[in-house]
Amino acid sequence: MFVEHLPDDRGQAHTLEAFTAALLLVAGLIFATQATAVTPLSASTSNQHVENQAAIAAQDVLTTTGESGNLTAALLYYEDGEFVDSGDETSYSGVPPASHPLHDPLTEAFGDRQIAFDIEVFYPEDGGNRTGDTTMVDMGSPSDNAATASTRVALYGDDRLFNASVDDPGDATYSGPRLAEESQHDYLAPSAGGSDTLYTVVEVRITAWQM
């Protein structure tokens, strides 16, 4: 009896379909794994965005107040070994009071955004062999995603400190001792001693982070 053998095309088709299905399954698993791995990065991306915004805001404060002269005025807003109106502390625990030269810029940059910040002043000591520092604003310990911005400010011997020790607070002004008159004041930074006109050059650094 003659038996006709069916061609094996159908078997090959079934094999190809099984292989394709397996390939799609593997591809799906790889996609799902990658999607799961990417999910945690969304938080990092968000943190990076916040850090970038804080850095931009900090730099804007330094740039605009440096150009207007308010940053220099803030460094001279100092009397008897402490910043004026800092209370019982040597630094401000938040945005400085309304009379402070940086009050409005800091409020605009950080106050409405729930961003905390520290402001530190660095200066040369011992003929430039060491670096000292003084804190102007201390709002706590920065977070891991804190951003920093800094600028340098030249202070001159003819610059005068703020004089709040007057009978009428309305008369308070920058009429205190000249920086060159070191024996008459207790300033945050010593003279660099390199020039008769240049007193020193300080670095003002803002560290900002999301609260």
Side-chain angles (χ1 to χ4, degrees), residues 122-185:
F122 297 88
Y123 47 84
E125 289 184 321
D126 190 22
N129 294 321
R130 296 187 299 116
T131 299
D133 64 274
T134 295
T135 300
M136 181 186 296
V137 177
D138 184 1
M139 294 185 67
S141 300
S143 65
D144 293 337
N145 64 325
T148 61
S150 64
T151 190
R152 292 185 177 182
V153 180
L155 298 172
Y156 297 93
D158 287 338
D159 289 337
R160 289 185 176 274
L161 297 174
F162 194 81
N163 182 16
S165 303
V166 293
D167 295 333
D168 184 355
D171 293 335
T173 184
Y174 290 89
S175 59
R178 295 166 56 246
L179 289 182
E181 301 167 348
E182 291 188 75
S183 62
Q184 299 184 32
H185 64 74

Side-chain angles (χ1 to χ4, degrees), residues 83-119:
F83 289 100
V84 177
D85 296 332
S86 58
D88 296 332
E89 305 295 333
T90 57
S91 61
Y92 305 103
S93 58
V95 175
S99 58
H100 194 278
L102 298 184
H103 171 83
D104 290 347
L106 291 173
T107 300
E108 181 178 352
F110 304 125
D112 297 333
R113 301 183 185 180
Q114 296 299 304
I115 296 179
F117 60 93
D118 291 341
I119 302 180

